[in-house]
Amino acid sequence: MAQDRGSCSMVELLAVLIGGHQPMDISTSLLSRYPHNLGSASADELRQIKGIGLASACRIMAAIELGRRLTAQQEPRPAIGSPEQAARLLTPLLAGKEQEYLVVVLLDTRNRALGEPIVVYHGSLNTSLVRVAEVVRPAIRANASAMLMAHGHPSGDPSPSPEDVSITRAVAEAGRLLDIRLLDHLIIGQASFVSMRERGLMP
């Protein structure tokens, strides 16, 4: 096995992930089955290759996903300039969940996302359960200039509840004191969304 990772072939890199007995042969078989579309294979499909078990399949899929995320971090990050742009980013993550998930997207001075959305709470969104400090802590740690907050309604109806309004105002006030602007709070439904800022429900 070559010591320089840059000089390793695809077969060698996969063999490291597969491990066990005769990993080079297994890696060769895998790439013969998926010469150009390995990233689209499911764990069950990978396990159809003789010598690949569940653990090896999971390692391969994790490595592929890690590569995707690292590549995404290096790509130019578009600014989030409208609620519609934010909704396109967050709807796949939040729509259709059985529980309410509250996420934050950290932003720089140009409203560009600083990494992936961060889940800060899941359950029933209630002011007595959601701690404002937990919501703003990721922004403090990342030295973010602003943040976007969003959560989904399992019912599919994105209409804001009194609790949604209360939490929005509490987080916005905490952000003001910390010089971290709350850009918006989106409520994601099944086929639509609500921008708390556009509704005039933010301080």
Side-chain angles (χ1 to χ4, degrees):
M1 179 67 66
Q3 296 298 314
D4 180 6
R5 63 186 179 185
S7 65
C8 290
S9 66
M10 283 287 289
V11 171
E12 290 174 318
L13 291 171
L14 276 172
V16 172
L17 294 172
I18 293 168
H21 184 59
Q22 296 182 324
M24 294 289 284
D25 292 342
I26 299 170
S27 177
T28 300
S29 298
L30 179 59
L31 287 175
S32 296
R33 174 78 66 87
Y34 299 100
H36 305 296
N37 60 339
L38 180 60
S40 65
S42 67
D44 287 339
E45 289 171 333
L46 293 176
R47 293 175 67 188
Q48 292 177 11
I49 304 295
K50 185 178 180 180
I52 295 183
L54 178 59
S56 295
C58 289
R59 284 195 297 270
I60 293 169
M61 294 184 69
I64 292 171
E65 180 60 25
L66 178 61
R68 284 176 179 153
R69 295 189 185 189
L70 291 173
T71 299
Q73 289 178 357
Q74 296 172 3
E75 293 175 349
R77 294 172 288 124
I80 297 177
S82 68
E84 289 75 19
Q85 283 182 307
R88 283 196 295 271
L89 171 69
L90 295 165
T91 295
L93 178 65
L94 296 173
K97 299 290 187 183
E98 294 183 357
Q99 288 185 310
E100 294 188 15
Y101 281 77
L102 177 63
V103 304
V104 294
V105 179
L106 308 182
L107 306 169
D108 65 12
T109 55
R110 297 182 180 179
N111 289 344
R112 296 176 301 186
L114 300 172
E116 298 288 324
I118 301 169
V119 177
V120 292
Y121 179 81
H122 68 90
S124 177
L125 217 63
N126 186 298
T127 50
S128 65
L129 298 176
V130 179
R131 296 182 59 199
V132 172
E134 296 297 326
V135 178
V136 299
R137 180 172 287 118
I140 296 171
R141 288 177 173 171
N143 196 28
S145 297
M147 59 186 285
L148 176 72
M149 188 163 65
H151 77 279
H153 277 181
S155 67
D157 179 4
S159 301
S161 68
E163 289 80 10
D164 294 336
V165 176
S166 178
I167 291 168
T168 301
R169 290 176 175 171
V171 173
E173 177 61 18
R176 186 186 66 80
L177 295 174
L178 295 166
D179 199 25
I180 300 171
R181 183 167 58 98
L182 180 61
L183 188 66
D184 203 343
H185 181 184
L186 299 186
I187 303 175
I188 306 296
Q190 188 60 42
S192 59
F193 72 93
V194 166
S195 162
M196 301 287 272
R197 182 168 293 282
E198 287 189 339
R199 288 283 183 96
L201 297 174
M202 293 182 58

